Amino acid sequence: MAMAALPVLSQDLIARITPVDKKSRTLDTLSLQSTIMRESLESPASDLYVDWDTRDTHYKSSSLPETYKINLRNFCMPTPSRVITSQFGPRWGRQHRGLDIKVYIGDTIRAAWSGKVRIVKYEAKGYGNYVVIRHSNGLETYYGHMSKHLVRENQTIRAGQPIGLGGNTGRSTGSHLHFETRLCGVALNPALFFDFRNQDITGDTYVFHRSTMERDAARATAARGLKQSSYTKEEVYGGKRPSQNTSQHSEMMAMNSPSTSSSPLPVTRTSGFRYHRVSEGETLPELARRFNMSLEDFARLNGLTPNSKLRPGQLLVL
């Protein structure tokens, strides 16, 4: 005698469907996150910028927000130099829109945050060889007077990636990095975000207020825009800093100590990169083998060729 089919209760159906729904929602969430990430890389800060222009250096916009929260995390210092030779603000009868950081010709310049390269050009009477990068946090960073470009327009890059080499091109009286930070085309004092003397950001976030930006810029210069007329190579290569009783100070001093040259070391507390300081006689192929990297990838990461010669004291990212 055949048994009668048992009735299917509604709660049984719900119980069967629920795990499928949860899995579907998880997949949808991952897909959405992937889409958001891809769009962010393709069009950084699209909520602020209505277009992507690779012709005009300075983005022209009337949409500067009254207030805007800028995420400063996941950064890399553009250079290990702690020496500021010219600060943001009035200079020689005109406005200096960035900070001049002392570097030597050939020093590696790195992207401050991940983003997309908007401009790669040469300007004889201005920036010289320069690069402009738009970041997802809303800022655009400018790197001027370089001797060589290492990136191309529309290239997606990550924080810490080499983008050029220090130089003395354009309207420049000595080798240095001209570094700008702009929001919707408006130049903001880089000292609002970066403390070059201490090789760190000023905080995890910075809240921009249009009504107080001039006052805030002056305060940042007073606190961190230290102009120097004399300096040592040690300071330019990041080895000397003001005394601090912090664990970060100890970490950074260790990073720049010649006695640690054979060990990979952290760059900053949030960058996620490691550095190696080159010792006398070390070669690129030897270091690539030591750190278990291909010679081509190691060279490309540092803006070098596989045949490049290294100099003692040079910092390489791993």
Side-chain angles (χ1 to χ4, degrees):
M1 179 177 177
M3 296 182 63
L6 295 174
V8 179
L9 301 178
S10 59
Q11 57 263 39
D12 294 330
L13 286 174
I14 294 172
R16 294 175 191 172
I17 295 171
T18 297
V20 177
D21 286 346
K22 286 183 177 179
K23 186 175 181 180
S24 297
R25 284 198 297 271
T26 300
L27 292 174
D28 289 344
T29 300
L30 292 174
S31 176
L32 178 60
Q33 290 174 344
S34 176
T35 300
I36 291 173
M37 183 177 295
R38 185 170 59 253
E39 290 178 350
S40 178
L41 291 174
E42 285 297 316
S43 183
S46 57
D47 57 326
L48 285 178
Y49 300 90
V50 296
D51 60 8
W52 179 261
D53 183 0
T54 59
R55 295 169 300 174
D56 294 330
T57 299
H58 301 301
Y59 182 82
K60 298 176 178 63
S61 171
S62 59
S63 61
L64 182 67
E66 289 296 327
T67 182
Y68 193 78
K69 187 175 182 179
I70 302 171
N71 180 9
L72 304 181
R73 292 183 291 266
N74 302 315
F75 74 102
C76 180
M77 297 301 293
T79 166
S81 175
R82 307 179 188 281
V83 179
I84 297 174
T85 57
S86 188
Q87 58 198 18
F88 181 92
R91 185 183 71 168
W92 307 331
R94 56 190 297 179
Q95 285 293 315
H96 186 227
R97 303 295 185 181
L99 291 179
D100 286 348
I101 314 298
K102 178 59 185 176
V103 298
Y104 295 109
I105 295 175
D107 287 351
T108 301
I109 308 301
R110 303 184 185 278
W113 292 283
S114 297
K116 188 175 180 181
V117 179
R118 186 170 67 84
I119 300 285
V120 176
K121 285 185 180 178
Y122 174 76
E123 185 181 67
K125 296 183 179 180
Y127 290 113
N129 286 317
Y130 70 103
V131 168
V132 179
I133 304 173
R134 183 175 297 175
H135 307 283
S136 296
N137 64 4
L139 292 177
E140 287 194 328
T141 50
Y142 289 54
Y143 311 78
H145 304 310
M146 296 188 294
S147 60
K148 184 179 181 180
H149 301 125
L150 298 178
V151 292
R152 64 185 183 278
E153 289 180 353
N154 298 311
Q155 180 179 345
T156 300
I157 58 173
R158 62 174 179 164
Q161 183 171 333
I163 59 169
L165 302 179
N168 186 29
T169 58
R171 192 170 182 263
S172 172
T173 57
S175 61
H176 70 280
L177 171 68
H178 175 80
F179 180 64
E180 293 185 15
T181 48
R182 292 180 179 247
L183 180 67
C184 295
V186 177
L188 304 179
N189 190 349
L192 291 166
F193 317 112
F194 290 97
D195 183 349
F196 279 90
R197 288 294 286 173
N198 291 308
Q199 286 289 289
D200 203 356
I201 48 175
T202 58
D204 287 343
T205 60
Y206 174 81
V207 181
F208 165 79
H209 296 283
R210 187 172 182 175
S211 60
T212 62
M213 63 181 184
E214 292 184 4
R215 183 191 68 189
D216 293 344
R219 288 178 175 175
T221 293
R224 290 174 290 275
L226 301 176
K227 184 178 178 180
Q228 293 171 249
S229 57
S230 62
Y231 47 84
T232 65
K233 278 196 173 183
E234 184 184 28
E235 289 176 292
V236 176
Y237 288 124
K240 186 178 180 181
R241 62 180 294 163
S243 59
Q244 282 188 344
N245 296 318
T246 65
S247 59
Q248 185 187 355
H249 168 55
S250 300
E251 179 181 320
M252 290 300 296
M253 287 300 288
M255 183 191 83
N256 291 291
S257 170
S259 64
T260 62
S261 61
S262 62
S263 302
L265 296 161
V267 183
T268 60
R269 61 182 172 84
T270 59
S271 70
F273 285 87
R274 299 182 300 166
Y275 268 151
H276 170 75
R277 185 181 290 280
V278 176
S279 295
E280 185 73 39
E282 288 183 328
T283 65
L284 206 60
E286 173 194 343
L287 293 176
R289 287 193 298 271
R290 183 189 304 174
F291 296 111
N292 196 29
M293 300 175 67
S294 75
L295 177 58
E296 292 73 18
D297 288 345
F298 192 30
R300 189 182 305 111
L301 181 61
N302 285 278
L304 304 172
T305 67
N307 297 322
S308 294
K309 292 184 177 180
L310 303 180
R311 66 175 187 278
Q314 184 175 355
L315 287 177
L316 299 176
V317 72
L318 305 177

